[in-house]
Amino acid sequence: MTENLELLNWSAAYFSRYLLALVRVLGAVSMNPLLNATRAPVPARLWLALFLTFILFPPGDPVEAGVAIGPTVIAGELLIGLLVSFATSLVFGGVQLAASLVSSLSGLNMAGILNPSFDMASGGAAIDQLFAAFALLVFLEINGHYMFIFALRDLFGLVPVGGATQLPMDFETLATLSAGLFGAAVRMVFPVIAALLLADLGLALLARVAPQLNLFALGLPLKVGVAYGALVLALPWIMPQMIGMFRAIPENMLALAR
C-alpha cells in the first residue's frame, strides 16, 4: 500500500512538471522559423513539443516535488518559451533585414509595381526569398536545430520548471540584443551596399555628363546586375557573418532568461 502511494505521488509530481515544461516548449517552438505555418501545421508542432518535452523530462529521471499548476505559473512558462523563440526569430529577422536592404537599394523590390500580379505577401522580392532559403540551409548545415534543443535543455537548468514567474524581465537586454543583431545584419551585407552606393554615384555622374540618357531604363538593370555580382563576390564574407549570428542563438536565448 505504501509503495502504491509513493508511486502515485511520484506520478503526480512528474505529470505536473511535465505539463509546465510542455507549455514552455510549446512557446519555444511556436515562433521558430523552421516551423512556420507553411512548413509545419499546428498538429505537427504540437506533437514535436510533446516529443521534445518527453526527451528533456524522461519518466525514469528522479522527480522533485510537484509544482502547483496555476494561471500565473502557466503564463510565466509560456512567456519564457515565447522569449527564447523570439530570440531565434530575431536572428532570422536580421538576415531578412539584410536581404531587404539589398533589395531596396538594387530596385528589386519594385517587382510588385512593375508586375501587379506579383504577390509581395508570399515572401517579398527575389533576394528576400533567396536569403530566407539560404539562411535555413546554413542553419541546418551547422546543426542549428541541435543547438536550439541544447539551449532549451540548458534553459531548464537556468530557470527551473515553475520558476519563470520570478524573471526580472530586463527589457534593456532585449533592446541591446535587437540592436546588436540588426547591426550584424547591416555588417553582413556591407560589401553589397557599398557596391550599390558606388553604382548610384556612377549613375549620378553619368546624369551630369549625359543628361539626355534615360537613367531609369539604364540604371535599373545595371543595379540589379551589380547587386547579384556583389552578392557572389561577397559570399565568402557573408557566410561567416551569418554562421556567427546563428551560433549566437543559444547565448541569446539564455541571455533573455537571465
Side-chain angles (χ1 to χ4, degrees):
M1 184 68 178
T2 304
E3 293 180 356
N4 292 335
L5 288 176
E6 290 179 354
L7 180 62
L8 183 63
N9 291 333
W10 183 89
S11 300
Y14 172 77
F15 184 70
S16 63
R17 297 174 66 82
Y18 178 86
L19 282 182
L20 290 176
L22 176 62
V23 172
R24 185 185 299 190
V25 175
L26 277 173
V29 303
S30 62
M31 296 172 56
N32 194 301
L34 290 174
L35 303 172
N36 62 14
T38 58
R39 297 187 185 93
V42 174
R45 279 177 280 178
L46 177 60
W47 282 108
L48 178 61
L50 288 168
F51 178 72
L52 282 179
T53 310
F54 184 79
I55 295 298
L56 294 172
F57 284 87
D61 280 5
V63 179
E64 302 175 2
V67 181
I69 300 178
T72 304
V73 179
I74 293 176
E77 295 295 332
L78 181 60
L79 177 61
I80 192 173
L82 292 174
L83 275 176
V84 298
S85 181
F86 178 73
T88 307
S89 300
L90 195 61
V91 175
F92 282 87
V95 175
Q96 286 298 103
L97 173 65
S100 298
L101 287 173
V102 175
S103 179
S104 299
L105 292 174
S106 63
L108 281 170
N109 59 348
M110 296 181 62
I113 300 174
L114 301 177
N115 182 11
S117 64
F118 185 78
D119 185 9
M120 295 295 291
S122 63
I127 290 186
D128 295 43
Q129 299 180 34
L130 176 65
F131 263 70
F134 185 65
L136 288 175
L137 180 63
V138 172
F139 185 74
L140 293 174
E141 180 66 24
I142 65 173
N143 293 324
H145 49 302
Y146 290 134
M147 292 190 295
F148 177 80
I149 295 174
F150 292 152
L152 199 57
R153 179 201 61 188
D154 296 338
L155 180 65
F156 282 104
L158 181 64
V159 183
V161 175
T165 55
Q166 302 175 358
L167 286 177
M169 291 300 295
D170 187 2
F171 290 100
E172 184 178 353
T173 302
L174 181 59
T176 303
L177 178 61
S178 302
L181 285 173
F182 288 128
V186 176
R187 188 165 56 249
M188 181 174 61
V189 291
F190 180 76
V192 184
I193 295 175
L196 290 171
L197 291 178
L198 288 176
D200 283 332
L201 181 60
L203 289 172
L205 293 175
L206 185 60
R208 295 298 298 269
V209 174
Q212 68 276 10
L213 291 177
N214 187 354
L215 291 182
F216 180 80
L218 177 65
L220 187 58
L222 176 64
K223 291 181 65 176
V224 170
V226 169
Y228 280 116
L231 279 174
V232 172
L233 294 176
L235 196 58
W237 166 268
I238 293 175
M239 278 286 293
Q241 301 289 328
M242 187 180 295
I243 291 175
M245 292 172 65
F246 288 149
R247 292 195 184 279
I249 286 179
E251 182 182 350
N252 296 339
M253 292 170 60
L254 299 178
L256 289 179
R258 287 192 177 97

